[in-house]
Amino acid sequence: MSALPNVLGRPLARRLLLAAASAIAIVAVVAVRTGAGSDVPPADDGTATASPDRIILSPAADTATSQTVTWRTDEATQEGEVQVAPADDPDQVRTVEADASVAERLPNSRLSARHHSATLTDLEPSTAYTYRVGHDDDFSPWTTFTTAPAADSTDPWTFLYFGDAQWGLDAGWSSTVDQAFAQYPDARIALTAGDQVNDGNDDHQWEQWFEAVAPWASTRSFLTVAGNHEHYGDEQTVRYRSHVQYPRNGPEGQDDLTYRVDVGDVRFITLDGSITGGPSDPTDNGLGALQAAWLEQQLADNPRTWTVVTIHQPMFSAAKLRDNLAQRTAFLPLLEQYGVDLVLQGHDHAYARGHLAENDVAGGYSGPTYVVANAGDKYYDLDPAGRNNWTINDAVRDAAADKISTYQAVRVEGDRLVYSSYVATIDDSGVGTGPLPQGLAPGELLDTVTVTKAVDGRPFVPR
Ligand SMILES: [Fe+2]
């Protein structure tokens, strides 16, 4: 099995594996129907082997001096290690044993896969390292990552932000990621706003997601967020949580989906918008309130100049007739009170950016900038410019477009953040009803704002 990808190439190997899996499934179904072996679970289409794959970097607690890497093997491969050396002194290799090894098993699945994770420590800030992961004779190719800048670094750096992948993982999503990294090859971090896949329990979709990001996920940290679709078919998000590891510094009981990392002079906070409770009362199960209390701690005790919050479900919806009252009730007052600079969101399969109307001041607005973006092949329509989820909730929708997927770059330049959104794909029916210029082509600038700090420390965005 482990030689298949090398001998046959991934597409053919995948078809054979799928055919084999289907055959097993048919046998299993027949067995159940005949009453023989009725406890045999359905087969999975996992393709894990002893050779590491799905290698992804993620930040550890101290991003400037440590780095977490996670990878997958078959379940039988119980151990793993990272070999790492400074890129400018590759003979100085040290070995770090994996500190987590988790067999991924969903109910009714007999997928054989194991996820390994290791955190490299005692690294130097803004320094390149070469590394490989594996065990015995099965190692990944050597590749390179660069640690995050120190908190006091004034060197400009860039992070990317992507909306939902979800549909078209081997088409639109793959193209969006390719375009973004082609334009920003030096981007240090990629932030995703949830719904990586359409069905959280579908390993084939995860394979496609990883194939799209493979060239970059092993060389830059990914900051992912769980969307509602990570829960589909996988209520406990086993697959999502197995594939990538983050510092467990979120609120108690939610610290596997909610976390904070500081990179350079930016604090990144992720929220899990899928656990806020009922649609009208975010405190009805206590989870929204618990997360809001944790959010306030991260905002009140924040030594960094800039703050970026990511949540899948947006405070103000881009898509027609959508609304997220529970999330808005739980989190919007805190985002406003503490002057979060950027709130980066997904879920709506359209593009929108705006701010709260009460923040309008001479020459611009002083307060958070809210963005909704889309990165895959699923498209929803916008509400009209004159009346939409922003206007009916006392906000201003400054920019909007539908039938479009985009990628965003945020350049951290010391005393300002430069946010830019670019067209990745335009749906066949063309740019929809948004007020942005028509006729844009992939790679062209869709929308941009520059965030600075007002004298009171709140973000200021000029008009
Ligand atoms: Fe969603």
Side-chain angles (χ1 to χ4, degrees), residues 164 166 194-195 227-229 232 312-313 322 346-349:
D164 301 27
Q166 192 174 340
D195 284 1
N228 53 308
H229 281 266
Y232 282 16
H312 180 63
Q313 292 86 345
R322 274 194 156 185
H347 193 49
D348 282 343
H349 306 282

Side-chain angles (χ1 to χ4, degrees), residues 19-20 25 112 134 176 191 205 283 332 381 400 440:
S112 177
T176 300
L191 185 157
Q205 293 176 26
T283 64
L332 182 68
D381 292 335
L440 288 173

Side-chain angles (χ1 to χ4, degrees), residues 267 269 271 290-302 331 334 337-338:
R267 169 157 290 191
I269 301 170
L271 300 173
L290 184 65
Q291 201 171 167
W294 174 82
L295 171 63
E296 181 159 25
Q297 291 175 356
Q298 312 314 307
L299 297 173
D301 181 21
N302 181 1
F331 304 127
L334 294 171
Q337 178 184 346
Y338 289 93

Side-chain angles (χ1 to χ4, degrees), residues 159 161 191 266-269 306-311 335 339-345 353-354 365 367-371 409-412 417-420 449-451 453 459 461:
F159 68 89
Y161 150 50
L191 185 157
V266 183
R267 169 157 290 191
F268 292 91
I269 301 170
W306 305 102
T307 307
V308 176
V309 170
T310 308
I311 181 172
L335 302 173
V340 168
D341 298 289
L342 293 173
V343 183
L344 305 179
Q345 309 153 112
R353 174 184 59 80
Y365 63 87
T369 295
Y370 300 90
V371 185
V410 180
R411 180 101 168 141
V412 182
L417 301 179
V418 180
Y419 164 93
S420 303
V449 293
T450 297
V451 184
K453 290 292 188 185
V461 176

